[in-house]
Amino acid sequence: MGGDRLENKTSVSVASWSSLNARMDNRFATAFVIACVLSLISTIYMAASIGTDFWYEYRSPVQENSSDLNKSIWDEFISDEADEKTYNDALFRYNGTVGLWRRCITIPKNMHWYSSPERTESFDVVTKCVSFTLTEQFMEKFVDPGNHNSGIDLLRTYLWRCQFLLPFVSLGLMCFGALIGLCACICRSLYPTIATGILHLLAGLCTLGSVSCYVAGIELLHQKLELPDNVSGEFGWSFCLACVSAPLQFMASALFIWAAHTNRKEYTLMKAYRVA
């Protein structure tokens, strides 16, 4: 009789432990899947943000359809010697957009041929873009934009460099975290995902830092170069994607760390319970 009772107790304990372990596995697996989905969405948003040219957009009135004037501005805009003031004046005047890699303006399509100088709302326009070279990305910004004798503005210089570099660091951290997460799946263990969570946390901080640097840089630029009358500026959808990506990275980080830490802790408790 005593042996049967002990055997029944053991069977019940094993069954209870197995049921509890299955419930925990389902909970952690759900958290892991949600974190992976959030990570994937934030990666897509961040990549799209880096690759598009709508971090900041200017809205200006329709300009005169003068081929000579437009060609002159375009030549200055694409010139290797174009300084910060030169290309920003073109951005202000011709509905410019700015990304991390390129700057674009919208000009009349037929600027290389003769066209009527009369102002019209209906002439065809085309968007022309120029990529920032690596030299331009790391070029010093001056206290008075365009005036090389005014001294280097260190704050704006490093804000520009950070807004350019940090998104790539963020994207790299997320990709490395995804690789660790894949290894965790292969090993059938959630514990390595702590590293994935930490990397996503760092990626979120980098994204947040990039967005902050961009906002600060734009505000400082507009203090130096005031927008002309009838010209307005606003942050574009590429900037918004980066803003959305940061909280997604933080949420994914929290889920990864919670799942790994709690799973490890409860696995230790269950092991101790099983031994007892």
Side-chain angles (χ1 to χ4, degrees), residues 49-50 52 55 98-102 132 137 163-164 167 210 214:
S49 176
I50 292 173
T52 50
W55 278 66
V98 187
L100 297 180
W101 277 97
R102 298 198 306 175
F132 290 106
Q137 295 285 12
Q163 78 183 28
F164 165 68
S210 175
Y214 195 85

Side-chain angles (χ1 to χ4, degrees), residues 10 34 36 56 64 70 72 109 155 167 255 266 274:
T10 304
I34 293 174
C36 288
Y56 202 85
E64 294 179 352
N70 289 320
S72 174
K109 188 174 182 179
L155 178 58
L255 286 173
E266 295 195 9
R274 189 177 183 182

Side-chain angles (χ1 to χ4, degrees), residues 27-60:
R27 187 175 57 179
F28 298 142
T30 301
F32 183 78
V33 169
I34 293 174
C36 288
V37 171
L38 293 175
S39 175
L40 178 61
I41 294 174
S42 65
T43 302
I44 293 172
Y45 282 3
M46 200 67 224
S49 176
I50 292 173
T52 50
D53 310 317
F54 297 91
W55 278 66
Y56 202 85
E57 305 177 37
Y58 295 99
R59 295 287 181 264
S60 57

